[in-house]
Amino acid sequence: MLRSLVGSEMCIRDSTENVCFVCSKDKWEFFRTGLSFQEHKATYHNLWDYVFWLLYLRTRGPKDMVGLESYVNRLVQNNDLSWIPNSRALSLEETRKNKYESLSGLLRLKTEDIASQ
């Protein structure tokens, strides 16, 4: 029993240190793209920001909410978590897009260079 509890605690600790709780992206995905996993968790997907956002929505009356607040509040009331970026990290997507555009730009330049010779 004790061994099982220790194993479970180690698994939880490993998960909290190596996986973003919000988007479920692995630490190594950020490492491979040259981004900081710690910065991602602290800045873009800070768990406490989501907690405070939910608390903030609870303190607002429905008539006091603006568009985004109303939208997210409606989803929360319906237990719909689609407003949380599960399996999405814009910083990763943007970095991949930029690398792809850089690579395709280089290929285009090389192709033009070869064609002009």
Side-chain angles (χ1 to χ4, degrees):
M1 172 106 170
L2 181 60
R3 185 179 299 161
S4 173
L5 288 174
V6 170
S8 295
E9 182 181 329
M10 289 175 64
C11 183
I12 291 169
R13 183 178 302 134
D14 181 63
S15 182
T16 58
E17 291 175 1
N18 295 309
V19 177
C20 175
F21 184 80
V22 175
C23 68
S24 304
K25 293 290 185 181
D26 190 85
K27 175 182 184 175
W28 303 112
E29 288 189 58
F30 293 90
F31 179 75
R32 283 192 297 271
T33 56
L35 297 173
S36 167
F37 179 68
Q38 296 305 326
E39 181 181 347
H40 167 78
K41 283 181 32 175
T43 305
Y44 301 107
H45 286 170
N46 186 326
L47 177 60
W48 291 108
D49 287 345
Y50 287 84
V51 170
F52 291 135
W53 174 251
L54 291 172
L55 290 173
Y56 168 76
L57 289 178
R58 282 188 163 196
T59 65
R60 305 276 291 178
K63 293 180 182 177
D64 298 327
M65 293 183 182
V66 294
L68 181 61
E69 294 168 343
S70 297
Y71 174 72
V72 172
N73 189 53
R74 200 171 325 114
L75 293 175
V76 169
Q77 296 302 319
N78 293 324
N79 294 319
D80 182 346
L81 300 177
S82 64
W83 63 279
I84 297 175
N86 190 14
S87 299
R88 287 198 72 195
L90 291 179
S91 58
L92 282 176
E93 292 173 16
E94 188 66 27
T95 300
R96 288 179 183 139
K97 177 184 169 198
N98 290 341
K99 285 184 179 182
Y100 173 78
E101 288 174 355
S102 296
L103 182 59
S104 63
L106 275 172
L107 289 173
R108 186 177 35 73
L109 288 174
K110 287 291 186 187
T111 304
E112 290 171 1
D113 193 29
I114 291 170
S116 68
Q117 291 179 356

